[in-house]
Amino acid sequence: MATIKDVSDLAGVSQATVSRVLNGTTRVDDDKKRRVLEAIKQLGYRPNAHAKSLASNRSNSIGMVVSELAGPYFGEMMAGAEAIIRRNDKQMLIASSHASESEEREVIDFLLSCRCDALILHAETLSDAELVKIHQQGTVLVLLNRYIPAIAEQCFVLDNELGGFIQTEHMIQQGRRRVACILGPQWKHDAKERFEGYLRALKQYQLPFDPELVVEGDFQESGGYAGVKKLIARGARFDALVCANDEMALGAMDALSEQGVAIPEQVAVIGFDDIAYANYVTPKLSSIHFPVRQIAADAAWLVMQSVYKMEPPEEIVQQVMPKLVTRQSSNCG
Amino acid sequence: MATIKDVSDLAGVSQATVSRVLNGTTRVDDDKKRRVLEAIKQLGYRPNAHAKSLASNRSNSIGMVVSELAGPYFGEMMAGAEAIIRRNDKQMLIASSHASESEEREVIDFLLSCRCDALILHAETLSDAELVKIHQQGTVLVLLNRYIPAIAEQCFVLDNELGGFIQTEHMIQQGRRRVACILGPQWKHDAKERFEGYLRALKQYQLPFDPELVVEGDFQESGGYAGVKKLIARGARFDALVCANDEMALGAMDALSEQGVAIPEQVAVIGFDDIAYANYVTPKLSSIHFPVRQIAADAAWLVMQSVYKMEPPEEIVQQVMPKLVTRQSSNCG
DNA sequence: TTGTATGCGTTATCAT
DNA sequence: ATGATAACGCATACAA
């Protein structure tokens, strides 16, 4: 592949001049400029990004880490960040960690090797200390759906506990008294917080906590399906089902239908995240709205601002409040 | 950030020696090796990927272009490729084109600037000639869901026409005679081919083609919803609905339910792609199985093979046959 | 086994 | 405005 030297030779100018017309740093004689552009086209020249980064100590790229590349939640997250990054003519490098600690460390290492100008992380497994350390070593980083007091200014979060509370409270206000719950993996911060919200709601409305009504899932459809099967197998009786995310709620609804349980008449169901498909199942799924796309976009803006001095069009919101979205599955359709 | 020189200084060896223990190219004295590793840890040294690529003329990265980062179809595609790439210790760079010609060209340019060792493309807008040209210029590239005779060995495809035929035939075999169809954007290759399959099925079963029964959508849920509204508005009568993808089918089912139309009793519905959610809507959606994840994985293997001489565990399949998956929406639940 | 020296393709700092 | 030339951080051929 052609180099800048090939271009300068063909155009009969110095490498420096080629670099100048490429980057527009200094004015260049119109005639020479034409010759350079001509040579570039003729040779099919493309600047080598590696050489550029090496020389300029800027990669113009933002690294992003998500748990999975597939799935509605992370899809929205990636899309939200990318839109902003691309709008500002930067590039985004995406890597997935599969929520494994070793992989999470590995991909962050990779992105640091790429000398990303900043990192946007959905880090689930790394310790607070480890993340703080990366930040202290001089890497600009932003955290999604995770709060670490020491670097609070870098965190973008939804109040998961309140979300869990709202879910549960909604069920109770619909007149339900035996509210079952399918939890997310309890080692995950958000899953745990959502569970805490569930507990607080029960307490506030003076309903007894019954461990028989609670099962832990994996945030996947299959986990929700299995969760309902488990509840039924243990003979649990419930008239409402709070799910820690929408995907499990879909699986749960599938299992309930299979058992001939009417939703919401016999069991009201509510999810969390408000993914697009919540609106396309029958009955439509009530949920807690989690504006992931917007949050990720705001996170990207924070990076644009602190690294490249670009100004965001509106205020950046780092703490967003969960919002109840009622649909048919909780009898409000 | 620390450089290789900092490490060699601290360890009291030459830069070359550090490079050697890093890459394991030559045997290094155990003691020196220890000192180097110690220095690396102490300094928190991370090799600069840019310098590495520049010096070795290898980036160890595969570029991937998809139309969107969000959505079940591309999510599966990315996940399928990434799994294989990461298993072989290479990295994947993802970029999205939003199915716009200028953006598609732009992101490919970016990936070429990154000197990716190969490209995996879901290219919808670029001309055959343009893609062939990239290939001829020496870039290893692989095409997903697109067939270009000149570089057939680089193409991974599903027989979309046959898929469209099977969809339609299935409806007819269910005893339906007025088969409506919500098309994908007709400038897209796959959407057009699927439509051709629809037409062939009608012909083969001697059903008249009625333009009133056909609307063009945008491959999104909202497009499917709007499509049904349009059909109803124009007074079209139909007892089956073939949708060019699942997402439009979900939107269509939503619109039908809203109108009080019973699925499948009054109108049978079938989608295309067999996304995960097809199994979680009510009634469950019949579809054409499109193993995107597997195809993308195979595509990645082809790259691994041709660029890095890695051997795939099984045979790489570049042409896959569409497979009918019957569920409740077509009365086969 | 180890060190030295050169080159990779740019940008940036000088002169001119 | 333009041209040399020295970095940038690493791999590698060559010498020792």
Side-chain angles (χ1 to χ4, degrees):
Chain A
M1 186 154 295
T3 74
I4 201 172
K5 184 163 184 343
D6 299 327
V7 176
S8 66
D9 285 352
L10 182 58
V13 299
S14 72
Q15 297 181 26
T17 300
V18 176
S19 176
R20 285 177 188 117
V21 349
L22 240 34
N23 300 307
T25 44
T26 318
R27 263 213 64 75
V28 176
D29 179 75
D30 276 349
D31 183 53
K32 295 195 175 178
K33 190 177 201 168
R34 268 197 311 98
R35 272 152 52 201
V36 168
L37 293 174
E38 173 57 33
I40 287 178
K41 190 180 300 175
Q42 192 172 326
L43 294 171
Y45 166 75
R46 292 172 208 278
N48 183 317
H50 300 296
K52 209 166 163 167
S53 302
L54 197 57
S56 66
N57 200 27
R58 264 282 158 105
S59 70
N60 287 308
S61 66
I62 311 298
M64 176 160 203
V65 175
V66 293
S67 300
E68 300 293 341
L69 296 177
Y73 182 79
F74 293 112
E76 289 293 305
M77 190 177 274
M78 294 186 285
E82 199 234 11
I84 305 309
I85 291 173
R86 285 278 294 279
R87 174 183 313 175
N88 290 287
D89 290 315
K90 307 300 173 190
Q91 284 293 342
M92 176 165 82
L93 302 187
I94 309 175
S96 77
S97 68
H98 303 108
S100 129
E101 185 173 348
S102 61
E103 289 195 64
E104 205 162 288
R105 199 170 287 122
E106 190 181 305
V107 296
I108 290 179
D109 244 60
F110 165 70
L111 294 175
L112 289 176
S113 292
C114 289
R115 297 299 187 268
C116 288
D117 296 334
L119 258 36
I120 300 178
L121 307 179
H122 183 277
E124 302 195 280
T125 63
L126 259 38
S127 69
D128 286 12
E130 209 160 350
L131 292 168
V132 170
K133 189 176 169 194
I134 295 174
H135 177 251
Q136 287 173 337
Q137 288 174 343
T139 312
V140 174
L141 91 165
V142 157
L143 264 30
L144 296 179
N145 199 23
R146 173 147 178 184
Y147 184 76
I148 299 180
I151 49 174
E153 312 78 23
Q154 319 298 322
C155 299
F156 284 76
V157 290
L158 174 88
D159 191 333
N160 283 295
E161 196 273 347
L162 180 56
F165 178 86
I166 294 176
Q167 282 184 300
T168 314
E169 179 180 53
H170 176 58
M171 295 287 94
I172 298 170
Q173 289 176 339
Q174 293 299 108
R176 314 290 168 144
R177 286 297 170 266
R178 297 195 54 78
V179 184
C181 186
I182 301 185
L183 312 175
Q186 288 301 293
W187 62 266
K188 297 199 184 194
H189 307 77
D190 48 1
K192 203 163 142 230
E193 290 159 17
R194 291 174 189 187
F195 182 34
E196 284 160 6
Y198 165 81
L199 293 175
R200 181 161 65 87
L202 288 185
K203 196 174 204 175
Q204 177 158 331
Y205 287 89
Q206 304 175 358
L207 290 181
F209 167 64
D210 182 352
E212 197 188 65
L213 293 181
V214 175
V215 293
E216 183 170 327
D218 58 1
F219 273 159
Q220 316 258 325
E221 288 91 347
S222 53
Y225 184 90
V228 165
K229 292 291 185 188
K230 219 174 289 176
L231 286 172
I232 291 176
R234 65 167 73 141
R237 287 179 46 87
F238 53 98
D239 52 12
L241 181 59
V242 167
C243 301
N245 77 348
D246 285 350
E247 290 165 89
M248 291 200 297
L250 297 189
M253 285 172 62
D254 187 28
L256 288 172
S257 302
E258 235 178 51
Q259 298 289 321
V261 175
I263 307 169
E265 293 76 8
Q266 294 177 264
V267 173
V269 178
I270 186 166
F272 203 119
D273 288 344
D274 193 23
I275 65 176
Y277 293 101
N279 202 38
Y280 291 101
V281 289
T282 315
K284 292 176 192 289
L285 178 64
S286 294
S287 190
I288 300 293
H289 187 61
F290 190 156
V292 232
R293 186 184 283 254
Q294 180 60 45
I295 288 185
D298 275 16
W301 270 120
L302 180 59
V303 167
M304 292 299 123
Q305 191 178 45
S306 52
V307 179
Y308 307 113
K309 312 301 169 203
M310 311 251 172
E311 273 314 308
E314 353 180 332
E315 203 191 347
I316 293 174
V317 180
Q318 300 194 218
Q319 305 228 20
V320 352
M321 283 302 133
K323 237 185 72 191
L324 178 66
V325 179
T326 57
R327 298 200 181 89
Q328 301 160 346
S329 73
S330 65
N331 209 6
C332 298
Chain B
M1 184 154 294
T3 73
I4 200 171
K5 184 164 186 341
D6 299 328
V7 175
S8 66
D9 285 352
L10 182 58
V13 299
S14 73
Q15 297 181 25
T17 300
V18 176
S19 174
R20 286 177 187 119
V21 348
L22 239 34
N23 301 307
T25 44
T26 317
R27 262 214 66 74
V28 176
D29 180 77
D30 276 349
D31 183 53
K32 296 195 175 177
K33 190 176 200 168
R34 268 198 311 97
R35 273 152 52 202
V36 168
L37 292 174
E38 173 58 32
I40 288 178
K41 191 180 299 177
Q42 193 172 326
L43 294 171
Y45 166 75
R46 292 173 208 279
N48 183 318
H50 300 296
K52 213 166 162 166
S53 301
L54 199 56
S56 66
N57 199 28
R58 263 285 159 105
S59 69
N60 287 308
S61 66
I62 311 297
M64 177 161 201
V65 175
V66 293
S67 301
E68 300 294 341
L69 296 176
Y73 182 80
F74 293 112
E76 290 292 305
M77 190 177 275
M78 294 186 285
E82 199 234 12
I84 305 308
I85 291 173
R86 285 279 293 281
R87 174 183 313 175
N88 290 287
D89 290 314
K90 306 301 173 189
Q91 285 293 342
M92 176 164 81
L93 303 187
I94 309 176
S96 76
S97 68
H98 303 108
S100 128
E101 185 173 348
S102 62
E103 288 195 67
E104 206 162 288
R105 199 170 287 123
E106 190 182 303
V107 296
I108 291 179
D109 244 60
F110 165 70
L111 294 174
L112 289 176
S113 291
C114 289
R115 297 298 187 269
C116 289
D117 297 334
L119 259 36
I120 299 178
L121 308 179
H122 183 276
E124 301 195 281
T125 64
L126 293 189
S127 68
D128 286 12
E130 209 160 349
L131 292 167
V132 170
K133 190 175 168 195
I134 294 174
H135 177 250
Q136 287 173 338
Q137 288 175 342
T139 313
V140 174
L141 92 165
V142 157
L143 264 30
L144 296 179
N145 199 22
R146 173 147 177 186
Y147 184 76
I148 298 180
I151 48 175
E153 312 77 24
Q154 320 297 322
C155 299
F156 285 75
V157 290
L158 174 88
D159 191 332
N160 283 295
E161 196 274 345
L162 180 55
F165 177 86
I166 293 176
Q167 282 183 300
T168 314
E169 179 180 53
H170 176 57
M171 296 286 95
I172 296 170
Q173 289 177 340
Q174 293 299 108
R176 313 289 167 145
R177 286 298 170 266
R178 296 195 55 78
V179 185
C181 186
I182 301 185
L183 313 175
Q186 288 302 294
W187 62 267
K188 297 198 183 193
H189 307 76
D190 48 1
K192 202 163 141 230
E193 290 159 16
R194 291 174 188 186
F195 183 33
E196 283 160 5
Y198 165 80
L199 293 175
R200 182 161 65 87
L202 289 186
K203 196 174 202 176
Q204 176 158 333
Y205 287 88
Q206 303 174 359
L207 291 180
F209 167 64
D210 182 353
E212 196 188 66
L213 293 181
V214 174
V215 293
E216 184 171 326
D218 59 0
F219 273 160
Q220 317 256 324
E221 289 91 346
S222 53
Y225 184 90
V228 165
K229 293 290 185 189
K230 219 173 289 176
L231 286 173
I232 291 175
R234 65 166 74 141
R237 289 179 41 87
F238 53 98
D239 52 12
L241 182 59
V242 167
C243 301
N245 77 348
D246 285 350
E247 291 166 89
M248 291 200 297
L250 298 189
M253 284 172 63
D254 187 28
L256 289 172
S257 302
E258 235 177 50
Q259 297 288 321
V261 175
I263 305 171
E265 293 76 6
Q266 294 176 264
V267 173
V269 178
I270 186 165
F272 202 119
D273 287 345
D274 193 24
I275 65 176
Y277 294 101
N279 201 39
Y280 291 100
V281 289
T282 315
K284 292 178 193 290
L285 178 64
S286 295
S287 191
I288 300 292
H289 187 61
F290 191 156
V292 231
R293 187 184 281 254
Q294 179 60 45
I295 288 185
D298 275 15
W301 270 120
L302 180 59
V303 168
M304 291 300 123
Q305 192 179 44
S306 52
V307 179
Y308 306 113
K309 311 301 168 202
M310 311 248 174
E311 273 314 309
E314 350 181 333
E315 203 191 346
I316 294 174
V317 180
Q318 301 195 218
Q319 306 229 19
V320 353
M321 283 302 133
K323 238 184 73 191
L324 178 67
V325 180
T326 57
R327 298 199 180 89
Q328 301 160 344
S329 73
S330 65
N331 207 5
C332 298

